[in-house]
């Protein structure tokens, strides 16, 4: 008997056997959406005879894509390899390479990550002789990426002020430089494909015919261009199945638009709607308190999760004096749970912003409890790792200016800053890339004989690397050759410090990952490896080893743990700023959704803590308990005090929470002052200032906030009518 459809509840089965036409599945947290997607794909293949290669399934992380493929391999053995399963970026990169000529790109294009993109924009700002303080590359990068998410090219962009006119100038120059380097950034991967499908009816018809069924996971997270892509692919057959949960839409700051799932029936009036409301993850109490918070949102699809799981323990709410007392109390509770039989990787501590982690890390170290922080520096962003990858990218494509300039004097080979500047200037005069200027350096009178000799040696090194790559040498072997022949590894060994040893270990880890890649792929090319590591996200590298897990709520999306502790449940911490009637309600609603995501990561036990006084960014402030706690039914909560612990709960049967000294709930706080959304990318701000806000300055008038830089107090970049200015936040007020 086929495994397809077995063990599904009625709603899940209805989604799986849906025949044709648009389908939207509202899948609550822990409701088995991955199971629905995989069984639906298997149903299309086995029961309806759809060829696997005509099915496209897209999601947002490589980890989710791997899980889909692994599950499908079990349901339809031998056929999963023919399916198109991957992230939006990976699928679009594959299509761009397959149709490179039609898309106006080289087949061997390289992909620039955020830091590469910013390096290119910095070069352009300097080449245009612009003031980097008035036009910060990071701010320009954010604006260009936003435009691409909205499907607006440099030519289509219509500036509204002097600052944006300069942004358009940079955008145009950036696109020209990227073409010269045969490089695409993350936004390009989707945007370029959307553009060519708008203009090339032949390619559009080909791709529409190629994919008979399109399935999109986490649909609440798609932005404008991603939605345009899937709509265009499905214009003819209209077999589009989207799965998501508007209550878990927490990436507004990244361009995600949950209106895409809420308004799906406006685009597809005949869409079938199915709601998955049975939860298989959490206890009944956890679901009730999570619903009590998110249900206060006005703009949401009505639904309520339920479960056959046990009632479970009350939600423990811990009131603390300050953030240090909170850290000590929470870590003490963790130790009690470990003594009761829980493993360290059963426990996760979540917080709203990265800055909250420091005191918890100090307390965990003091208690000798192993922990790991998710969301720090990405492995492939470490300097030595990026150096090796830059060498590999130049071996693959020497026109990659960013990578070439990164490694031209790494390790030191006597090619100084002045020489590099002359090469960049020569490239600009010739209208070409740095590699072309490097190749012509022997004829350039600007360089001395000694410099020319060093440049020639470097060119010979590149030629050797390119020759090995062109001959099909495996990526791991090529990496070892580069580390040896460039002297990079030897320089670290000569340094002979603990830091150098750590860097050597990281490089060995890269080579090891290449060897694993070669063992897992039928055609392990250098290009495919470089694409894989460039598109990898933090979520793809979460490995739950034997340690307490610390992370922001944003980073916890998609994960689950037996025990979840959420710290900092105070006004101005979580939710991240105050709120008054009349402000943008969508900002508070996103904070509620973020709280809902945090609470529903817990399977067995949920602990919430708050401090009455908290020092953040160098300033001590009194805090009011979060409205999210006050919105929970009193019957679901167990209030505890500060230090007097008793026995911890045993496992596996739920038991009353550890009594840390009973405390009656304090009076419910009134609503706070002003609420401003604080995204994970922007959590350094203070004083109620956030991206996009209109603010007033006594001298410069009214402008719009375009960037916020950490500090005490923070510095804010504001676009006024006469251009952008950097101003200390205390001199600004909401307009």
């Amino acid at each position: 008997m086929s495994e397809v459809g077995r063990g599904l509840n009625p709603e899940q089965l209805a989604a799986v056997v849906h025949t044709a036409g648009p389908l939207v599945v509202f899948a609550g947290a822990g409701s088995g959406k991955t199971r629905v997607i995989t069984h639906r794909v298997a149903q299309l293949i086995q029961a309806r005879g759809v060829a696997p290669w005509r099915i496209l399934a897209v999601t947002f992380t490589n980890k989710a894509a791997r899980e889909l493929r692994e599950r499908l391999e079990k349901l339809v053995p031998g056929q999963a390899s023919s399916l198109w399963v991957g992230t939006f970026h990976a699928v679009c990169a594959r299509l761009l390479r397959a149709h490179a000529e039609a898309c106006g790109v080289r087949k061997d294009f390289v992909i620039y990550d955020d830091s590469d993109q910013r390096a290119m924009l910095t070069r352009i700002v300097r080449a245009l002789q612009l003031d980097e303080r008035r036009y910060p590359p990071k701010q320009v990068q954010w604006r260009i990426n936003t435009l691409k998410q909205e499907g607006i090219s440099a030519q289509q962009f219509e500036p509204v002020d002097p600052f944006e006119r300069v942004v358009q100038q940079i955008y145009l120059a950036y696109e020209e430089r990227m073409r010269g380097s045969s490089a695409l950034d993350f936004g390009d991967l989707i945007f370029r494909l959307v553009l060519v499908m708008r203009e090339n009816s032949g390619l559009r018809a080909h791709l529409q015919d190629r994919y008979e069924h399109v399935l999109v996971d986490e649909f609440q997270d798609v932005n404008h261009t991603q939605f345009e892509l899937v709509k265009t692919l499905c214009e003819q057959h209209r077999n589009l199945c989207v799965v998501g949960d508007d209550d878990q839409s927490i990436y507004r700051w990244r361009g995600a638009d949950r209106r895409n799932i809420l308004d799906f029936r406006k685009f597809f009036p005949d869409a079938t709607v199915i709601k998955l409301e049975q939860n298989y993850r959490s206890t009944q109490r956890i679901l009730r308190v999570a619903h009590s918070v998110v249900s206060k949102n006005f703009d949401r699809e009505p639904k309520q999760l339920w479960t056959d799981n046990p009632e479970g323990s009350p939600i423990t709410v811990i009131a603390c004096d300050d953030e240090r007392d909170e850290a000590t109390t929470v870590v003490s509770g963790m130790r009690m749970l470990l003594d009761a039989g829980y493993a360290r990787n059963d426990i996760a501590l979540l917080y709203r912003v990265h800055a909250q982690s420091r005191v918890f890390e100090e307390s965990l170290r003091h208690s000798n409890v192993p922990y790991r922080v998710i969301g720090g520096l990405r492995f492939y962003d470490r300097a030595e790792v990026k150096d090796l990858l830059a060498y590999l990218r130049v071996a693959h494509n020497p026109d990659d200016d960013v990578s070439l300039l990164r490694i031209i004097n790494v390790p030191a080979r006597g090619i100084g800053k002045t020489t590099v500047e002359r090469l960049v200037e020569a490239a600009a005069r010739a209208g070409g890339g740095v590699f072309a200027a490097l190749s012509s350096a022997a004829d350039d009178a600007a360089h001395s004989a000694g410099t020319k000799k060093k440049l020639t040696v470097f060119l010979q090194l590149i030629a050797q690397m390119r020759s090995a790559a062109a001959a099909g040498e495996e990526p791991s072997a090529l990496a070892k050759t580069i580390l040896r022949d460039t002297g990079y590894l030897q320089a670290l060994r000569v340094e002979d410090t603990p830091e150098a040893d750590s860097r050597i270990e990281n490089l060995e880890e890269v080579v090891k990952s290449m060897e694993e890649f070669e063992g897992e792929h039928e055609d392990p090319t250098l290009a495919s490896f470089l694409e894989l590591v460039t598109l990898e996200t933090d979520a793809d590298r979460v490995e739950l080893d034997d340690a307490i897990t610390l992370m922001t709520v944003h980073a916890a999306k998609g994960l689950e743990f037996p025990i979840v502790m959420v710290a900092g449940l105070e006004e101005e911490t979580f939710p991240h700023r105050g709120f008054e009637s009349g402000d943008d309600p969508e900002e508070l609603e996103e904070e509620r959704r973020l709280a809902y995501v945090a609470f529903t990561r817990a399977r067995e036990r949920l602990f919430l803590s708050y401090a009455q006084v908290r020092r953040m960014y160098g300033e001590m402030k009194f805090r009011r308990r979060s409205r999210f706690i006050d919105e929970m039914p009193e019957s679901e909560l167990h209030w505890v005090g500060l230090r007097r612990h008793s026995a911890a709960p045993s496992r596996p049967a739920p038991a009353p929470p550890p009594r840390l000294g009973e405390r009656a709930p304090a009076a419910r706080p009134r609503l706070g002052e002003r609420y401003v959304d604080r995204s994970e990318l922007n959590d350094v701000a203070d004083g109620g200032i956030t991206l996009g806000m209109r603010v007033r300055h006594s001298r410069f008038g009214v402008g719009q906030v375009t960037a916020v830089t950490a500090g005490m107090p923070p510095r804010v970049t504001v676009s006024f009518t006469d251009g952008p200015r950097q101003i200390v936040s205390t001199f600004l007020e909401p307009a």
Side-chain angles (χ1 to χ4, degrees):
M1 179 179 175
S2 172
E3 292 293 322
V4 177
R6 179 181 292 178
L8 302 180
N9 66 40
E11 292 75 23
Q12 290 174 330
L13 186 60
V16 167
V17 301
H18 173 78
T19 54
L23 169 67
V24 56
V25 181
F26 286 94
S31 63
K33 67 179 178 64
T34 304
R35 185 174 174 82
V36 166
I37 294 171
T38 52
H39 279 251
R40 176 161 177 76
V41 171
Q43 170 80 2
L44 290 172
I45 295 171
Q46 290 188 348
R48 302 205 43 219
V50 179
W53 57 270
R54 301 199 67 187
I55 299 173
L56 171 63
V58 291
T59 185
F60 280 85
T61 67
N62 291 315
K63 179 184 176 185
R66 282 195 299 269
E67 184 180 356
L68 282 175
R69 192 177 292 281
E70 288 167 2
R71 292 196 189 188
L72 283 165
E73 189 59 53
K74 295 177 182 177
L75 288 173
V76 284
Q79 300 187 75
S81 59
S82 301
L83 293 162
W84 278 66
V85 179
T87 65
F88 270 101
H89 292 101
V91 166
C92 289
R94 185 177 172 185
L95 287 172
L96 286 170
R97 294 193 197 281
H99 305 282
E101 186 175 350
C103 296
V105 299
R106 274 173 41 179
K107 193 172 184 178
D108 63 347
F109 65 80
V110 295
I111 302 172
Y112 279 4
D113 62 16
D114 287 341
S115 61
D116 297 326
Q117 182 188 27
R118 191 155 53 249
M120 175 68 86
L121 286 168
T122 300
R123 282 185 56 207
I124 292 169
V125 168
R126 291 171 181 172
L128 294 175
Q129 298 184 327
L130 298 170
D131 186 346
E132 289 185 52
R133 292 170 297 180
R134 295 190 66 183
Y135 305 99
K138 188 172 183 178
Q139 178 186 345
V140 174
Q141 178 185 29
W142 175 81
R143 188 69 182 107
I144 289 175
N145 289 342
T146 300
L147 290 168
K148 289 184 180 181
Q149 290 169 1
E150 295 169 353
I152 301 171
S153 67
Q155 292 77 14
Q156 295 167 328
F157 181 32
E158 298 179 357
V160 297
D161 57 35
F163 176 78
E164 290 207 330
R165 282 196 286 274
V166 175
V167 169
Q168 184 180 42
Q169 182 185 6
I170 298 170
Y171 191 1
L172 287 164
Y174 172 71
E175 292 296 279
E176 183 179 347
R177 291 283 184 92
M178 292 291 279
R179 278 193 296 272
S181 295
S182 187
L184 301 178
D185 59 41
F186 286 159
D188 282 328
L189 295 174
I190 300 167
F191 181 46
R192 285 292 189 93
L193 192 59
V194 167
L195 281 180
V196 76
M197 289 179 69
R198 288 176 188 169
E199 302 164 358
N200 189 324
S201 59
L203 181 60
R204 182 171 66 248
H206 169 75
L207 294 178
Q208 288 171 345
D209 182 65
R210 168 72 183 257
Y211 302 114
E212 186 178 345
H213 286 268
V214 177
L215 300 92
V216 185
D217 189 15
E218 303 286 6
F219 194 69
Q220 77 279 350
D221 293 337
V222 301
N223 60 35
H224 176 81
T225 54
Q226 289 164 340
F227 192 20
E228 182 177 347
L229 173 67
V230 296
K231 278 194 303 178
T232 304
L233 287 174
C234 299
E235 276 179 356
Q236 300 303 318
H237 55 69
R238 304 180 75 254
N239 293 328
L240 174 60
C241 169
V242 303
V243 183
D245 181 11
D246 58 298
D247 285 338
Q248 297 185 76
S249 178
I250 59 173
Y251 297 115
R252 183 182 180 215
W253 46 269
R254 204 168 63 186
D257 185 358
R258 65 195 176 86
R259 298 303 331 168
N260 290 329
I261 192 167
L262 289 174
D263 296 342
F264 189 80
R265 284 157 288 187
K266 292 182 181 179
F267 298 104
F268 299 93
D270 58 334
T272 299
V273 180
I274 295 174
K275 297 181 184 180
L276 305 183
E277 297 174 288
Q278 182 175 0
N279 175 279
Y280 295 92
R281 176 189 300 161
S282 305
T283 66
Q284 295 178 30
R285 274 196 159 116
I286 290 170
L287 295 183
R288 286 199 293 266
V289 299
H291 181 74
S292 69
V293 173
V294 80
S295 62
K296 298 295 188 296
N297 281 351
F298 294 105
D299 191 15
R300 64 184 290 267
E301 181 71 19
K303 53 190 172 303
Q304 181 168 1
L305 293 180
W306 63 275
T307 185
D308 285 333
N309 291 340
E311 181 81 354
S313 301
I315 281 48
T316 301
V317 182
I318 309 169
C320 306
D321 290 338
D322 57 23
E323 74 275 8
R324 291 195 174 277
D325 182 44
E326 180 184 39
T328 301
T329 305
V330 167
V331 171
S332 179
M334 289 177 176
R335 291 179 64 88
M336 294 169 64
L337 291 162
L338 296 174
D339 291 342
Y342 284 94
R344 287 188 285 263
N345 61 13
D346 286 337
I347 303 172
L349 173 68
L350 310 184
Y351 34 78
R352 178 61 180 82
V353 296
H354 283 298
Q356 290 173 253
S357 74
R358 180 182 58 82
V359 290
F360 290 102
E361 292 187 61
E362 290 175 355
S363 187
L364 286 163
R365 286 196 297 268
H366 180 74
S367 300
N368 293 317
V369 177
Y371 69 92
R372 65 194 312 271
V373 180
I374 305 299
L377 184 64
R378 200 173 71 106
F379 177 78
Y380 288 108
D381 284 338
R382 291 181 170 94
E384 64 276 7
V385 175
K386 285 190 73 69
D387 289 342
L388 175 55
L389 293 178
Y391 271 108
L392 291 167
R393 285 162 69 170
V394 169
H396 173 63
N397 172 19
D399 292 329
D400 178 355
D401 280 1
V402 169
S403 296
L404 184 65
L405 291 173
R406 181 181 183 92
I407 51 97
I408 194 169
N409 197 43
V410 176
R413 50 176 60 91
I415 301 175
K417 182 179 178 181
T418 301
T419 300
V420 172
E421 289 174 350
R422 286 171 178 165
L423 287 170
V424 171
E425 291 168 0
R429 287 195 304 270
V434 176
F435 181 71
L438 184 63
S439 302
S440 304
D443 300 322
D444 191 338
H447 300 300
S448 67
T451 297
K452 290 178 181 178
K453 183 176 180 180
K454 293 169 186 174
L455 295 178
T456 300
V457 171
F458 181 58
L459 268 174
Q460 291 171 346
L461 179 64
I462 294 176
Q464 291 168 5
M465 295 190 310
R466 291 187 66 193
S467 177
E473 187 169 338
E474 289 188 327
S476 61
L478 180 59
K480 292 175 184 176
T481 300
I482 288 171
L483 290 173
R484 183 193 67 229
D485 292 353
T486 60
Y488 197 106
L489 210 54
Q490 182 60 24
L492 289 174
R493 288 173 178 151
V494 169
E495 187 178 326
D496 193 24
T497 63
E499 293 78 10
D501 291 343
S502 176
R503 296 174 71 185
I504 290 172
E505 289 174 2
N506 288 335
L507 292 169
E508 290 172 345
E509 183 66 23
V510 177
V511 174
K512 180 182 175 183
S513 71
M514 289 177 165
E515 291 170 343
E516 291 173 353
F517 168 79
E518 291 158 5
E520 294 170 358
H521 291 75
E522 191 173 325
D523 184 25
T525 63
L526 176 59
S528 57
F529 175 78
L530 291 171
E531 182 175 303
L532 178 69
V533 298
T534 306
L535 297 181
E536 186 182 62
T537 66
D538 284 336
D540 297 321
R541 293 187 62 83
V542 174
E543 298 170 1
L544 301 180
D545 52 14
D546 190 21
I548 303 284
T549 303
L550 278 61
M551 67 179 87
T552 65
V553 181
H554 282 101
K557 178 75 162 45
L559 302 176
E560 59 182 74
F561 302 86
I563 306 291
V564 169
M565 298 178 166
V566 187
L569 266 293
E570 312 119 23
E571 294 294 304
E572 300 193 38
T573 304
F574 197 2
H576 204 50
R577 290 296 178 217
F579 180 80
E580 278 184 352
S581 171
D583 290 324
D584 183 0
E586 172 58 24
E587 295 176 340
L588 178 59
E589 294 207 351
E590 177 123 338
E591 290 289 303
R592 288 191 193 283
R593 293 193 294 271
L594 199 57
Y596 175 79
V597 167
F599 303 157
T600 55
R601 298 311 93 197
R603 294 205 298 262
E604 300 175 21
R605 299 292 303 277
L606 177 62
F607 294 81
L608 311 175
S609 63
Y610 68 94
Q612 298 177 67
V613 178
R614 182 176 297 276
R615 181 183 295 275
M616 290 286 285
Y617 312 116
E619 186 176 359
M620 184 72 77
K621 289 185 178 181
F622 287 96
R623 300 293 193 184
R624 289 186 295 275
R625 187 175 63 229
S626 172
R627 73 194 68 207
F628 299 155
I629 294 177
D630 292 325
E631 290 164 355
M632 298 174 181
E634 290 283 354
S635 59
E636 307 293 354
L637 306 181
H638 181 77
W639 297 81
V640 299
L642 303 178
R643 298 180 181 85
R644 292 184 297 279
H645 295 265
S646 63
S650 60
R651 195 179 185 196
R659 296 182 177 277
L660 310 181
E662 297 263 354
R663 171 175 297 192
R668 292 181 181 268
R670 62 184 177 83
L671 293 182
E673 290 103 17
R674 177 179 173 77
Y675 175 85
V676 180
D677 177 50
R678 310 302 311 174
S679 76
E680 184 181 2
L681 293 185
N682 202 34
D683 60 24
V684 297
D686 202 355
I689 303 297
T690 188
L691 285 175
M693 177 186 289
R694 293 186 64 77
V695 293
R696 180 178 287 103
H697 186 273
S698 59
R699 179 179 171 189
F700 304 119
V702 175
Q704 187 172 33
V705 175
T706 55
V708 183
T709 304
M712 295 181 288
R715 297 183 67 82
V716 181
T717 303
V718 183
S719 178
F720 294 104
T721 54
D722 63 343
R725 296 179 183 274
Q726 272 206 341
I727 298 172
V728 175
S729 63
T730 51
F731 294 109
L732 299 169
E733 61 180 19

